[in-house]
Amino acid sequence: MARRVAELPATPYRGGFVDFTLSTRQGRIGTVVEVTGDLDMSTTPELRDQLRQLVESGAQVVVVDLTGVPFMDSSGLGALVVAYRDLRERGGSLALAGVKRSVRTVFSITSVDRVIDLFDTVDDAEEAARRVA
């Protein structure tokens, strides 16, 4: 399997290739970042860089769609927490959508789900952001 990260070429990982995609699009009220594949120490740098670029470009509402993420480790969690903090410092917000049960456990164990809002769908996250705005 090839690794698809924005426009980056395939990268070997543990003797094979990692299937990971990251894309952004304009949502109804902000920017939606769609992530597909495991979010771990080999793929998190791409997400961290993308979120940093969004923050630095002035994004106010960011929804990270994790529907296609079956696994996330502490590096992925850390990148999301940093993005949340950076957006909040600039008066913005970060929400997570489509969080699978296995990934939701990471947020629950660390109590991050008490700080960053988790939603079933991107539409739900955007609707909540619209009510706050």
Side-chain angles (χ1 to χ4, degrees):
M1 292 190 288
R3 179 182 198 177
R4 297 176 309 271
V5 181
E7 299 296 320
L8 299 177
T11 303
Y13 174 68
R14 293 187 196 160
F17 289 90
V18 176
D19 190 18
F20 180 80
T21 60
L22 177 67
S23 62
T24 60
R25 65 177 171 82
Q26 183 60 44
R28 292 182 301 159
I29 191 166
T31 303
V32 177
V33 179
E34 297 173 343
V35 183
T36 304
D38 290 349
L39 192 50
D40 57 26
M41 58 190 242
S42 72
T43 57
T44 293
E46 287 88 2
L47 176 63
R48 184 177 47 246
D49 291 346
Q50 181 63 47
L51 293 172
R52 183 180 307 124
Q53 287 175 2
L54 289 171
V55 170
E56 290 174 358
S57 70
Q60 287 296 299
V61 175
V62 176
V63 176
V64 179
D65 183 357
L66 299 174
T67 303
V69 176
F71 171 81
M72 182 179 72
D73 69 10
S74 61
S75 64
L77 180 70
L80 293 169
V81 168
V82 167
Y84 169 82
R85 183 199 65 211
D86 291 347
L87 280 162
R88 187 170 171 140
E89 287 174 357
R90 292 170 168 82
S93 66
L94 176 78
L96 307 176
V99 184
K100 294 188 180 324
R101 183 180 300 172
S102 57
V103 175
R104 193 174 287 260
T105 300
V106 174
F107 291 106
S108 177
I109 289 171
T110 59
S111 298
V112 171
D113 60 348
R114 295 181 184 181
V115 178
I116 301 175
D117 292 326
L118 307 180
F119 297 92
D120 291 334
T121 67
V122 170
D123 287 341
D124 291 344
E126 289 181 321
E127 184 59 35
R130 182 187 319 265
R131 285 192 298 258
V132 172

